[in-house]
Amino acid sequence: MRTGILSLVVFISLFSFGQKPKSWADLPVESELAARSFPSQLRTQLGKLRDAAMSDDYAYQQLEHLTDSIGPRPSGSAQADAAAHYVADELRKLGLEVKLEPVPVRRFVRGTEAAELVEYPGQVPGTKQKVFVTALLGNSPTPEAGITADVVVVNNFDELKQLGRDKVSGKVVVFNEIYDGNKAAAGQAGAAYGEAVKYRAAGATAAASLGAVASLVRSAGDGAFRLPHTGWSADAPIPGGAVSAEDAGLIARLAAKGKVRLHLTLTTQKGPEAVGYNVVGDLKGSEHPEQVVIVSGHLDSWDVGTGAIDDGAGVAVAMETAELIHRLNLHPKRTLRVIAWMNEEMAATGRDAYVKDHAAEITNHVAAIESDLGAEHPLGFHAKMSEAAQKQLAPVQDALLPIGASLLMLVPASPETDIEPLGDKGVPALGIWQNGLKYFTYHHTPADTLDKVVPEELKENAACMVVMGYALAEMTEPLAK
Ligand SMILES: [Zn+2]
């Protein structure tokens, strides 16, 4: 097949600009590299793998075990270790050579999390209002008895700067940056998250630099169920937490009317150092075993949910990639490496350990794929790669068109965290691009559970991972750099 999606897009845009192609023969064709890289047999195999994924519940069964039975998998926990051993054993059953590669992790000990408004405009005498709060990882705990202070609300860092030390010192700063649900509705959830999450990452250090006694950020996501979202933040000398989006709005409205005082108790602390594991499983290449294609997700999760969408689903579809290739008795030319990363959430030390331990073979990495945006309907892929590589993959887009996952959008930075150092070293880095309509409603909350995953959509994600992963491992020409 010589006319792909790209050709159709160009064809339609020619019409829309009023320029008619002279004949069908003038339609643009695939790049020569794409045509050479995808012989017809490979195109047929990609269709078969896609269809097999759409009728396979392997990933869902794996995800059910990881989330319902093993449960939350915070780094350094018994569940994270059990999950690593479980995934390793399952991959061995599929004929992969599997190693558990040590990753330094830091346990954390979640303590008391409580907040209440103790003074506010219109308060009924003798009453208080509970606020839903969770601790962020990097910040310092409050005393057991908590702290009480006046609140100052800002919408962004500029407002904080303008207030200055005089108005911030001794206060609890509440960052009320609003997550842009319209962007998420347009398939740009990652961009919306990026804009909001910087306050979670750096809010407490910024507030501390102006003498604040604590920092609370609005949860970076939709406020659907008054759930605060936990997560990583930079180390700061003051207590820091996230309040639910609803409570950030509540505090902001009250503070606009008058004085608000808040009592806050957050005693979560970093615990002892420990060792976790990346699971690294190789399906050895039949012709070029030294050339590596990574398919991956991260196995660790936050403690509050069971890590179904973040990111048990990514691990499950990476596992299913190996399962489908095994079941269809295919033997790709290059090594397909399934990785279940450890410690993405807390410090991303799993990726650092990998690039250190595999430094000698990084130049042999053909590409790396990670899925870490949940399991909703995929639109295609975000990719940090060259335009030549993008054009070379047009037949993959064709293979994913029937399930609506044919987009391949170039992005300037690695689309996913664990493969970022590889992307920085020139390895093409791809992330499955889910529509993300609800991902940031649930992730990092107690509501990240299996029921949020729609089995049919998980199958589409598995189809994306196996079609792209197998194509990269089997293409006649390796992916252009
Ligand atoms: Zn994640």
Side-chain angles (χ1 to χ4, degrees):
M1 191 175 63
R2 300 273 290 178
T3 46
I5 298 154
L6 186 69
S7 322
L8 285 174
V9 169
V10 173
F11 186 67
I12 289 162
S13 61
L14 280 177
F15 273 116
S16 57
F17 287 103
Q19 308 160 328
K20 286 182 196 164
K22 286 177 209 126
S23 79
W24 287 97
D26 293 336
L27 281 172
V29 295
E30 283 174 7
S31 70
E32 269 182 38
L33 185 58
R36 223 171 38 238
S37 302
F38 287 84
S40 62
Q41 188 195 8
L42 172 53
R43 293 172 198 244
T44 305
Q45 287 168 344
L46 295 183
K48 283 187 177 157
L49 283 165
R50 176 200 63 221
D51 294 346
M54 292 309 296
S55 61
D56 190 344
D57 65 354
Y58 177 90
Y60 195 85
Q61 286 175 15
Q62 296 299 344
L63 186 58
E64 187 169 341
H65 184 75
L66 288 172
T67 56
D68 283 356
S69 295
I70 294 179
R73 303 172 301 281
S75 297
S77 66
Q79 295 102 313
D81 278 0
H85 284 96
Y86 172 77
V87 171
D89 287 345
E90 290 300 301
L91 293 178
R92 286 189 187 107
K93 285 183 200 166
L94 301 172
L96 276 66
E97 285 177 26
V98 185
K99 287 188 194 139
L100 290 174
E101 302 186 348
V103 174
V105 298
R106 186 95 184 256
R107 299 184 61 162
F108 76 111
V109 184
R110 199 170 285 280
T112 305
E113 303 180 316
E116 53 188 6
L117 304 179
V118 294
E119 192 181 332
Y120 45 93
Q123 180 182 23
V124 176
T127 67
K128 299 166 184 173
Q129 283 204 62
K130 181 177 165 74
V131 165
F132 291 83
V133 66
T134 187
L136 300 176
L137 185 64
N139 302 318
S140 302
T142 65
E144 289 289 335
I147 58 170
T148 303
D150 290 359
V151 165
V152 58
V153 177
V154 297
N155 292 301
N156 52 53
F157 288 128
D158 283 343
E159 287 186 17
L160 182 74
K161 232 185 266 172
Q162 274 163 21
L163 286 175
R165 178 168 280 273
D166 276 2
K167 289 181 177 144
V168 171
S169 185
K171 307 257 174 64
V172 176
V173 175
V174 174
F175 290 92
N176 189 37
E177 164 74 19
I178 295 172
Y179 172 83
D180 187 343
N182 282 321
K183 286 201 181 78
Q188 302 294 341
Y193 183 63
E195 289 163 358
V197 79
K198 57 181 182 264
Y199 296 92
R200 190 186 80 204
T205 39
S209 73
L210 295 175
V213 294
S215 159
L216 293 173
V217 299
R218 181 181 177 117
S219 290
D222 293 309
F225 306 103
R226 213 179 182 186
L227 289 169
H229 299 206
T230 190
W232 179 87
S233 64
D235 287 342
I238 58 171
V243 290
S244 71
E246 292 91 330
D247 285 315
L250 166 71
I251 294 167
R253 289 191 299 276
L254 289 171
K257 292 177 190 162
K259 183 170 154 175
V260 175
R261 262 176 95 71
L262 180 136
H263 183 73
L264 176 69
T265 311
L266 290 175
T267 61
T268 294
Q269 302 195 43
K270 281 188 178 167
E273 288 175 3
V275 176
Y277 301 96
N278 286 334
V279 184
V280 180
D282 281 358
L283 186 67
K284 284 282 180 203
S286 57
E287 283 181 30
H288 309 291
E290 77 289 354
Q291 295 180 13
V292 174
V293 173
I294 291 174
V295 294
S296 66
H298 70 83
L299 190 54
D300 62 301
S301 77
W302 286 103
D303 56 325
V304 289
T306 62
I309 61 170
D310 189 8
D311 179 33
V315 171
V317 298
M319 293 171 76
E320 184 173 308
T321 295
E323 187 263 346
L324 286 166
I325 291 171
H326 175 77
R327 190 150 60 78
L328 271 61
N329 200 22
L330 297 170
H331 304 280
K333 294 180 173 61
R334 302 179 187 86
T335 292
L336 192 92
R337 179 168 291 170
V338 179
I339 303 183
W341 303 97
M342 185 48 60
N343 207 32
E344 188 274 347
E345 295 291 2
M346 292 194 204
T349 50
R351 69 181 195 182
D352 298 341
Y354 181 85
V355 290
K356 196 164 149 240
D357 294 348
H358 294 265
E361 59 163 345
I362 298 289
T363 52
N364 286 332
H365 281 57
V366 172
I369 315 174
E370 181 168 19
S371 174
D372 187 18
L373 190 61
E376 289 168 282
H377 169 68
L379 303 169
F381 289 85
H382 285 126
K384 185 191 182 208
M385 58 171 57
S386 66
E387 276 183 37
Q390 183 195 31
K391 287 196 177 117
Q392 190 181 358
L393 291 172
V396 174
Q397 295 176 269
D398 287 342
L400 292 173
L401 183 60
I403 60 164
S406 59
L407 298 181
L408 180 56
M409 182 184 275
L410 297 189
V411 289
S414 169
E416 296 300 348
T417 303
D418 294 299
I419 56 175
E420 191 176 342
L422 294 167
D424 290 346
K425 288 177 190 300
V427 179
L430 299 95
I432 299 184
W433 176 8
Q434 289 88 356
N435 67 22
L437 296 177
K438 288 285 175 200
Y439 182 71
F440 293 109
T441 309
Y442 302 124
H443 94 142
H444 297 202
T445 78
D448 179 359
T449 45
L450 182 67
D451 49 284
K452 307 307 180 303
V453 174
V454 177
E456 213 55 26
E457 293 180 340
L458 187 67
K459 288 175 184 171
E460 294 172 346
N461 281 281
C464 285
M465 190 70 99
V466 72
V467 167
M468 183 62 86
Y470 183 77
L472 292 165
E474 178 64 8
M475 280 154 60
T476 309
E477 306 279 340
L479 188 65
K481 291 263 163 137

